[in-house]
Amino acid sequence: MPQAIAPPAPLWTGESAPAFLLDPSITYLNHGSFGAVPVELMDSQERWRRAIESRPIELLGRRVSELMAPSKRAVAELLHCQPAEVGFVTNATEAINGVLASLQFEPGDELLTTSHVYNAIRQAMKWTARRWGASVRECPLPLPCRSADELARTIIDALRPETRLLVIDHVTSATALILPIEPIIAVCRQRGIPLLIDGAHAPGMIPVDLAALDADFYTANLHKWLFVPKGCGILRVSEAWRSRIHPAVVSHFLGEGFEREFDWQGTRDISPWVVAAEALDFFRRLGPERVMSHNHALACWAHAHLCERLDSEPLSPLDGSLLGSMATVRLPERFRPKFESIEALGAHLYEKERIEVPVIDFEGHWHVRVSAQIYNRPHDYERLGEALLRAAPA
């Protein structure tokens, strides 16, 4: 399997590089799970926490909407929407739970998703369906997949007359594939099927234009690829649905409008939401196109390198057309006799090799999913490849 892709040059070297608190003794290839926060933004979050503690009633009680307003404006500017359309949430899973709890179904209705759905969302959909006497169906996606058109057609063909909600990822978690959401949005709009997009990984990985997409519901995490402190996500709801959607935690301002309800969801640490404005400014100063281009090129190179090193068939085209800043690689079957479980393999890589990388059991096969962020270098993935070969020699 020839590797024609070259790794990108680092964006920074030495003291000019943004500082993170990641342990230098660990090769960290799992930015996609929880992100990583630059030191300067962690310091800002701590200052905000201290400020709120110094005047909790004023800042958390009376001025909470005012404090979050700059972040809502920054999110709206980055994602091309209006601030009033954006509600802050702790994460995309919380947002999806809020949407599901706000919708009504009937016995015989179907909630449709794909076989690549994030498991937390799968569980939330099952819980919702049970409450209404509805059902959940998962549309299998081809793997390996050959093109965006193949993915779009598979999902569109799975829609049925009884489908009352479609939930799809913008970027899948386990398989790291970018799904072609635009044609799916168009078909769902034409057929009157509400569409909920789980964009947990999208902002900061790929360009996102919420106004142009105008999906019924779009949620995303900002703490994954935009350097925001953990516990910061957003939900954007189209105008047709905005008055009917409520947070997962219904609080004092029920019925007073989307913006009012999402601005106050009970007592919680709002510092990630407040610091989001500074984090997005940090991202802007780094250069969004520059960062996304670097991370994409590094993920594509890592994908090709690991596939070649392990003699593994790529799950998506090696040109990177279906990848963002992550890539998932199938492990050869020889790993199974060596380790009793994927957890055992993950523990081996972490404890013996000092590599942090997700090991995933998906559709009966074991995989590793690597992330690429500005602090990663090609030798990180070379280390992983060597470690995997030591763990299960060919």
Side-chain angles (χ1 to χ4, degrees), residues 20 22 28 30-38 41-42 45 75 78-79 88-95 118 198-205 219-234 268-269 271-273 275-277 279-280 283 371 373 375:
F20 295 84
L22 293 168
Y28 194 72
N30 195 13
H31 188 94
S33 281
F34 305 129
V37 185
L41 294 170
M42 293 186 68
Q45 181 183 24
V75 170
L78 177 71
L79 302 183
F88 278 113
V89 290
T90 302
N91 53 45
T93 300
E94 180 184 285
Y118 187 55
D198 181 356
H201 284 279
M205 179 188 283
T219 182
N221 290 326
L222 307 187
H223 57 238
K224 286 186 181 287
W225 296 95
L226 287 170
F227 307 114
V228 182
K230 293 164 185 61
C232 185
I234 59 101
R268 59 175 64 198
D269 181 5
S271 63
W273 301 352
V275 176
L280 298 190
F283 184 64
S371 298
Q373 188 49 279
Y375 51 76

Side-chain angles (χ1 to χ4, degrees), residues 8 12 37 42 77 142 163 208 218 255 265 293 301 318-319 337 356:
W12 299 276
V37 185
M42 293 186 68
E77 180 179 359
T163 304
V208 177
Y218 190 105
Q265 300 173 51
S293 176
W301 179 84
L318 286 175
D319 62 8
E356 184 73 83

